[in-house]
C-alpha cells in the first residue's frame, strides 16, 4: 500500500516511515549476508557500470537518469534493491547543473514500460564532474520535488574524481549512506585522460573546493567583489587626501593685483 497525498509531506521523508506492506518479501543473496539491521541500499554492479559509463560520456557537463528497482523486506528490515538505471535522454545539461525536462520524463516512462515493467522508479542519479559528492540547492529541489517518498534515493558520481555517494531520507534530510554492491557483473574501470578534463567552473552551486557555498556566492565571485571593494576604498582615500591638501594650502595672490597705495596720515 503506497503513501497517500497527505502522507507525502516533508514529515514523511524518512526511511523510518517505510511500511512493511509496501515491501516485497525477499532475501538477499548469500554474498550480501554482511547486511546489518535497518534500511540498506543494495545496488547491482551492472547499475553502477551504467552510471559510470554515462558519466564518462560527458566530462564537461552533468548528466542524469533514474534508478529502478524493488523495495524489499527481510529479517533485518526494509532494504532497497536498485536493479536498473535509465539515462535521462533530453535532459537540460550544463557544466554545473542538470534539469529533467518533460521530454526526459516521457522518454524515461517509455523505457520503464518497455524494459523494466516489473520495477518502479526508486530514485535518480546525476554526475558532478570535478565537483565532488554533495547535493546542491538545485539537486535538493529536484530530489524534494520528484523523489520525495521515504525510500527514494539520490546517487551522485564524480567521473573525474572517481568518488560516488548515495543519499537517503533521514528526518526530512538527504543523508549520505554507504551501500552494498550486488556483484552481478564485472566492474568496469575508466581512466580519465587529464588532457580531456575541462577546466573546473566555479559557481554558487558548485564551488571549486567541492562543497556548497555557504553564502550562495562562489569563491571566484567573492574574490572579485573584495578586489572591487578594495579599489573603491583606495579611490575614496586618495580623493579625500587630495581634497584635504587643497583645503589646507594658502591661497595664492591674484597675478594682476595692483600695488597697494600709501599715504601719510596726521601730518
Amino acid at each position: 500500500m503506497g503513501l497517500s497525498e497527505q502522507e507525502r509531506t516533508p514529515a514523511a521523508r524518512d526511511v523510518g516511515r517505510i511500511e512493511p506492506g509496501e515491501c516485497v518479501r525477499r532475501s538477499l543473496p548469500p554474498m550480501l549476508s554482511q547486511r546489518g539491521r535497518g534500511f540498506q541500499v543494495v545496488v547491482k554492479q551492472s547499475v553502477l557500470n551504467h552510471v559510470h559509463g554515462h558519466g564518462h560520456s560527458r566530462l564537461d557537463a552533468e548528466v542524469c537518469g533514474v534508478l529502478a528497482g524493488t523495495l524489499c523486506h527481510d529479517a533485518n528490515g526494509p532494504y532497497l534493491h536498485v536493479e536498473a538505471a535509465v539515462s535521462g535522454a533530453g535532459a537540460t545539461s550544463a557544466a554545473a547543473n542538470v534539469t529533467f525536462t518533460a521530454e526526459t520524463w516521457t522518454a524515461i516512462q517509455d523505457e520503464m514500460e518497455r524494459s523494466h515493467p516489473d520495477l518502479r522508479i526508486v530514485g535518480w542519479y546525476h554526475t558532478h564532474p570535478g565537483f565532488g559528492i554533495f547535493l546542491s540547492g538545485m539537486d535538493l529541489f529536484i530530489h524534494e520535488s520528484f523523489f520525495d517518498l521515504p525510500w527514494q534515493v539520490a546517487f551522485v558520481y564524480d567521473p573525474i574524481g572517481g568518488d560516488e555517494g548515495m543519499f537517503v531520507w533521514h528526518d526530512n534530510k538527504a543523508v549520505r549512506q554507504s551501500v552494498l554492491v550486488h556483484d552481478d557483473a564485472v566492474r568496469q574501470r575508466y581512466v580519465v585522460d587529464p588532457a580531456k578534463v575541462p577546466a573546473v567552473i566555479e559557481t554558487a552551486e558548485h564551488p571549486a573546493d567541492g562543497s556548497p557555498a555557504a553564502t550562495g556566492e562562489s569563491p571566484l565571485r567573492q574574490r572579485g567583489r573584495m578586489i572591487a571593494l578594495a579599489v573603491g576604498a583606495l579611490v575614496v582615500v586618495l580623493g579625500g587626501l587630495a581634497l584635504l591638501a587643497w583645503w589646507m594650502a594658502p591661497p595664492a595672490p591674484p597675478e594682476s593685483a595692483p600695488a597697494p597705495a600709501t599715504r601719510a596720515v596726521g601730518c
Side-chain angles (χ1 to χ4, degrees), residues 86-105:
V86 177
S87 300
T92 301
S93 299
N97 59 74
V98 66
T99 303
F100 287 86
T101 64
E103 292 76 10
T104 305
W105 284 116

Side-chain angles (χ1 to χ4, degrees), residues 61-182:
E62 294 188 9
V63 298
C64 67
V66 300
L67 302 173
T70 308
L71 181 61
C72 305
H73 197 287
D74 62 7
N76 290 323
Y79 69 93
L80 188 66
H81 198 189
V82 183
E83 303 170 78
V86 177
S87 300
T92 301
S93 299
N97 59 74
V98 66
T99 303
F100 287 86
T101 64
E103 292 76 10
T104 305
W105 284 116
T106 299
I108 287 174
Q109 292 296 340
D110 290 344
E111 180 64 18
M112 288 290 297
E113 293 176 3
R114 180 170 55 252
S115 303
H116 312 291
D118 298 329
L119 304 180
R120 54 178 165 175
I121 295 176
V122 296
W124 67 300
Y125 73 86
H126 72 291
T127 59
H128 280 181
F131 299 137
I133 307 304
F134 61 94
L135 293 178
S136 69
M138 178 57 71
D139 299 338
L140 288 172
F141 173 79
I142 293 174
H143 197 43
E144 293 171 356
S145 300
F146 303 106
F147 306 95
D148 61 338
L149 293 172
W151 39 267
Q152 289 183 313
V153 298
F155 184 74
V156 183
Y157 173 56
D158 181 350
I160 295 177
D163 196 11
E164 57 192 19
M166 184 73 73
F167 293 84
V168 303
W169 286 117
H170 282 287
D171 192 22
N172 196 33
K173 297 178 181 179
V175 179
R176 187 172 178 176
Q177 180 176 305
S178 61
V179 303
L180 292 178
V181 178
H182 181 181

